[in-house]
Short mmCIF file of all heavy atoms in Angstrom, two decimals:
data_model
loop_
_atom_site.label_atom_id
_atom_site.label_comp_id
_atom_site.label_asym_id
_atom_site.label_seq_id
_atom_site.Cartn_x
_atom_site.Cartn_y
_atom_site.Cartn_z
N SER A 207 5.14 3.54 12.90
CA SER A 207 4.36 3.32 11.60
C SER A 207 5.38 3.27 10.45
O SER A 207 5.22 2.41 9.56
CB SER A 207 3.35 4.38 11.38
OG SER A 207 2.44 4.36 12.44
N TYR A 208 6.28 4.22 10.47
CA TYR A 208 7.28 4.27 9.39
C TYR A 208 8.12 3.00 9.34
O TYR A 208 8.37 2.45 8.26
CB TYR A 208 8.16 5.53 9.49
CG TYR A 208 9.32 5.52 8.61
CD1 TYR A 208 9.17 5.90 7.23
CD2 TYR A 208 10.62 5.14 8.93
CE1 TYR A 208 10.20 5.93 6.31
CE2 TYR A 208 11.65 5.10 8.06
CZ TYR A 208 11.49 5.51 6.73
OH TYR A 208 12.49 5.53 5.88
N THR A 209 8.60 2.57 10.47
CA THR A 209 9.38 1.34 10.60
C THR A 209 8.55 0.14 10.03
O THR A 209 9.12 -0.67 9.29
CB THR A 209 9.83 1.06 12.01
OG1 THR A 209 10.53 2.23 12.49
CG2 THR A 209 10.72 -0.12 12.11
N ASN A 210 7.30 0.04 10.43
CA ASN A 210 6.51 -1.09 9.93
C ASN A 210 6.24 -0.99 8.50
O ASN A 210 6.36 -2.00 7.79
CB ASN A 210 5.15 -1.16 10.69
CG ASN A 210 5.36 -1.52 12.16
OD1 ASN A 210 6.31 -2.22 12.52
ND2 ASN A 210 4.48 -1.06 12.96
N LEU A 211 5.97 0.19 7.96
CA LEU A 211 5.78 0.35 6.53
C LEU A 211 7.00 0.03 5.75
O LEU A 211 6.97 -0.69 4.75
CB LEU A 211 5.32 1.77 6.24
CG LEU A 211 5.18 2.13 4.71
CD1 LEU A 211 4.04 1.35 4.14
CD2 LEU A 211 5.01 3.60 4.56
N ARG A 212 8.15 0.50 6.26
CA ARG A 212 9.42 0.25 5.57
C ARG A 212 9.71 -1.23 5.55
O ARG A 212 10.14 -1.80 4.53
CB ARG A 212 10.52 0.98 6.31
CG ARG A 212 11.89 0.88 5.66
CD ARG A 212 12.81 1.88 6.29
NE ARG A 212 14.04 1.95 5.56
CZ ARG A 212 15.17 1.27 5.81
NH1 ARG A 212 15.16 0.46 6.82
NH2 ARG A 212 16.17 1.42 5.09
N ARG A 213 9.47 -1.97 6.67
CA ARG A 213 9.66 -3.34 6.72
C ARG A 213 8.78 -4.11 5.72
O ARG A 213 9.26 -5.01 5.08
CB ARG A 213 9.43 -3.88 8.14
CG ARG A 213 9.87 -5.35 8.35
CD ARG A 213 9.57 -5.83 9.78
NE ARG A 213 10.13 -4.98 10.76
CZ ARG A 213 9.40 -4.38 11.75
NH1 ARG A 213 8.12 -4.59 11.90
NH2 ARG A 213 10.01 -3.59 12.62
N ALA A 214 7.52 -3.72 5.66
CA ALA A 214 6.58 -4.36 4.72
C ALA A 214 7.01 -4.12 3.28
O ALA A 214 7.04 -5.08 2.47
CB ALA A 214 5.20 -3.81 4.99
N VAL A 215 7.40 -2.87 2.94
CA VAL A 215 7.79 -2.62 1.58
C VAL A 215 9.06 -3.34 1.23
O VAL A 215 9.15 -3.92 0.13
CB VAL A 215 7.99 -1.09 1.39
CG1 VAL A 215 8.65 -0.78 0.07
CG2 VAL A 215 6.63 -0.36 1.47
N LEU A 216 10.01 -3.30 2.09
CA LEU A 216 11.24 -4.05 1.81
C LEU A 216 11.08 -5.51 1.72
O LEU A 216 11.71 -6.21 0.89
CB LEU A 216 12.32 -3.73 2.82
CG LEU A 216 12.88 -2.29 2.74
CD1 LEU A 216 13.90 -2.06 3.86
CD2 LEU A 216 13.53 -2.03 1.40
N SER A 217 10.14 -6.14 2.48
CA SER A 217 9.92 -7.52 2.41
C SER A 217 9.25 -7.87 1.05
O SER A 217 9.57 -8.91 0.43
CB SER A 217 9.08 -8.03 3.56
OG SER A 217 7.71 -7.57 3.42
N ARG A 218 8.32 -6.97 0.59
CA ARG A 218 7.74 -7.17 -0.75
C ARG A 218 8.80 -7.06 -1.81
O ARG A 218 8.81 -7.87 -2.76
CB ARG A 218 6.65 -6.19 -0.99
CG ARG A 218 5.49 -6.25 -0.05
CD ARG A 218 4.52 -7.34 -0.40
NE ARG A 218 3.61 -7.63 0.64
CZ ARG A 218 2.36 -7.24 0.69
NH1 ARG A 218 1.91 -6.49 -0.24
NH2 ARG A 218 1.57 -7.51 1.71
N LEU A 219 9.64 -6.08 -1.66
CA LEU A 219 10.73 -5.96 -2.67
C LEU A 219 11.68 -7.11 -2.70
O LEU A 219 12.11 -7.59 -3.73
CB LEU A 219 11.54 -4.65 -2.41
CG LEU A 219 10.81 -3.33 -2.83
CD1 LEU A 219 11.66 -2.12 -2.39
CD2 LEU A 219 10.47 -3.28 -4.28
N THR A 220 11.98 -7.64 -1.51
CA THR A 220 12.86 -8.78 -1.43
C THR A 220 12.19 -9.98 -2.11
O THR A 220 12.79 -10.74 -2.83
CB THR A 220 13.15 -9.16 0.07
OG1 THR A 220 13.72 -7.98 0.66
CG2 THR A 220 14.05 -10.35 0.19
N PHE A 221 10.85 -10.13 -1.87
CA PHE A 221 10.14 -11.20 -2.50
C PHE A 221 10.16 -11.06 -4.02
O PHE A 221 10.41 -12.04 -4.74
CB PHE A 221 8.66 -11.20 -1.98
CG PHE A 221 7.80 -12.20 -2.69
CD1 PHE A 221 7.93 -13.54 -2.44
CD2 PHE A 221 6.85 -11.82 -3.64
CE1 PHE A 221 7.14 -14.48 -3.06
CE2 PHE A 221 6.07 -12.69 -4.32
CZ PHE A 221 6.19 -14.08 -4.03
#
Side-chain angles (χ1 to χ4, degrees):
S207 298
Y208 171 79
T209 303
N210 290 334
L211 176 66
R212 186 170 189 264
R213 186 179 310 123
V215 167
L216 288 178
S217 71
R218 298 280 167 101
L219 286 176
T220 303
F221 175 73

